[in-house]
Amino acid sequence: MNLMGWLYSQVEALLGSAGPTTLGVTLIIGGITCILSLICALVLAYLDQRAERILHKEQGKTGEVIKLTDVKDFSLPLWLIFIICVSYYVAVFPFIGLGKVFFIEKFGFSSEAASAINSVVYVISAPMSPVFGLLVDKTGRNIVWVLCAVAATLASHMMLALTLWNPWIAMCLLGISYSLLACALWPMVAFVVPEHQLGTAYGFMQSIQNLGLAIISIIAGMILDTRGYLFLEVFFIACVSLSLLSVVLLYVVNRAQGGNLNYSARQREEIKLSHTE
Ligand SMILES: C[C@H](NC(=O)[C@@H](N)CCCCN)C(=O)O
């Protein structure tokens, strides 16, 4: 949600004028929320250590050595998950970044209405992510859920690019599919990477996601400046299509290797039980 814009206008109304002081106060409030986040992380670290002590858990003492060079041992399914991640998110975050003017120019929205529709993806994600998280936990079949999410995102971009239908439909669909994708995609890393390499794998995933976002944001800006919004939308459709292709490839590779990425929740439970026996 574009909260900073709203916060800035509240501070502006409070101080009676816009300018460096209003901006400074707004940024200080943003900084305070970061400090709150840091405090929560510290409390979490303390509680985790306490649980380890009380429950006599030997976390992180498995004898496995963690190295940055673990990256070279990442499996093909993990690289496919990374490709899905990058090619999917580059069609969401940069689109939202440039979306406001798109809704003003193509659909004749006012500035306020364009901000509202542009925020709806995150507004939907807030309540829906826990629901989808539960759904994925209860059913398993992560690849199928990722496939549904990517296909729905593709449909959403196609609606925005090629039709004049009410864009709220496409944006709500994007919000739903974006929430579902996060719940099904990110946990898959834990199914293909040993526990001691999880931090490295998630760190790497974030890192290449951000690298992709940095590069694609520049390219998207250039396409917008030279070719306009229709070309930009076609570019985003191409990115999501690459993501869709990678999901299909992941399904095939996972099946060929007898992987557990698309197991149902019951199959996962049975395997866990057979390991504890
Ligand atoms: C879970 C996933 N998170 C990310 O992709 C983060 N790296 C960036 C979040 C930025 C949100 N505006 C997600 O958001 O789906």
Side-chain angles (χ1 to χ4, degrees), residues 3-246:
L3 203 63
M4 287 310 272
W6 173 83
L7 191 62
Y8 182 87
S9 44
Q10 295 300 309
V11 177
E12 183 186 346
L14 205 74
L15 298 182
S17 70
T21 312
T22 307
L23 183 62
V25 172
T26 311
L27 290 175
I28 286 172
I29 296 174
I32 290 171
T33 62
C34 291
I35 293 172
L36 276 178
S37 172
L38 175 67
I39 293 170
C40 292
L42 292 174
V43 171
L44 187 64
Y46 166 74
L47 291 176
D48 192 47
Q49 274 203 346
R50 187 166 165 266
E52 207 174 307
R53 205 178 51 242
I54 295 171
L55 302 171
H56 304 290
K57 284 201 281 180
E58 293 273 300
Q59 274 179 14
K61 292 174 191 151
T62 56
E64 308 277 8
V65 183
I66 303 154
K67 298 176 269 64
L68 209 60
T69 48
D70 286 345
V71 170
K72 71 176 182 352
D73 302 322
F74 285 168
S75 61
L76 179 58
L78 186 60
W79 283 106
L80 286 171
I81 292 172
F82 290 164
I83 295 172
I84 297 165
C85 173
V86 177
S87 51
Y88 180 86
Y89 283 107
V90 295
V92 176
F93 296 143
F95 167 71
I96 292 174
L98 299 168
K100 192 172 166 182
V101 185
F102 170 67
F103 293 111
I104 295 173
E105 280 189 8
K106 177 163 180 180
F107 294 97
F109 276 33
S110 67
S111 173
E112 291 74 25
S115 291
I117 192 170
N118 212 28
S119 309
V120 80
V121 172
Y122 300 133
V123 173
I124 289 177
S125 172
M128 289 314 287
S129 293
V131 178
F132 286 137
L134 197 70
L135 178 74
V136 174
D137 277 349
K138 291 269 177 225
T139 58
R141 308 262 179 230
N142 291 54
I143 301 184
V144 171
W145 287 120
V146 172
L147 191 74
C148 294
V150 178
T153 300
L154 186 60
S156 159
H157 271 298
M158 283 181 158
M159 274 187 230
L160 290 167
L162 308 173
T163 75
L164 283 171
W165 297 350
N166 188 335
W168 280 97
I169 303 169
M171 288 305 278
C172 289
L173 185 62
L174 184 60
I176 291 169
S177 50
Y178 161 79
S179 316
L180 177 61
L181 180 113
C183 296
L185 180 75
W186 292 79
M188 284 207 292
V189 174
F191 293 127
V192 290
V193 170
E195 203 178 329
H196 74 280
Q197 286 180 346
L198 270 183
T200 315
Y202 276 117
F204 199 73
M205 190 162 163
Q206 285 274 354
S207 161
I208 54 174
Q209 183 204 39
N210 284 322
L211 184 67
L213 285 170
I215 295 169
I216 297 295
S217 296
I218 297 170
I219 296 175
M222 277 160 47
I223 295 176
L224 182 60
D225 288 344
T226 54
R227 306 276 181 132
Y229 271 110
L230 181 61
F231 262 86
L232 184 62
E233 264 304 335
V234 171
F235 173 69
F236 287 141
I237 287 171
C239 294
V240 187
S241 302
L242 174 65
S243 185
L244 192 64
L245 199 71
S246 311

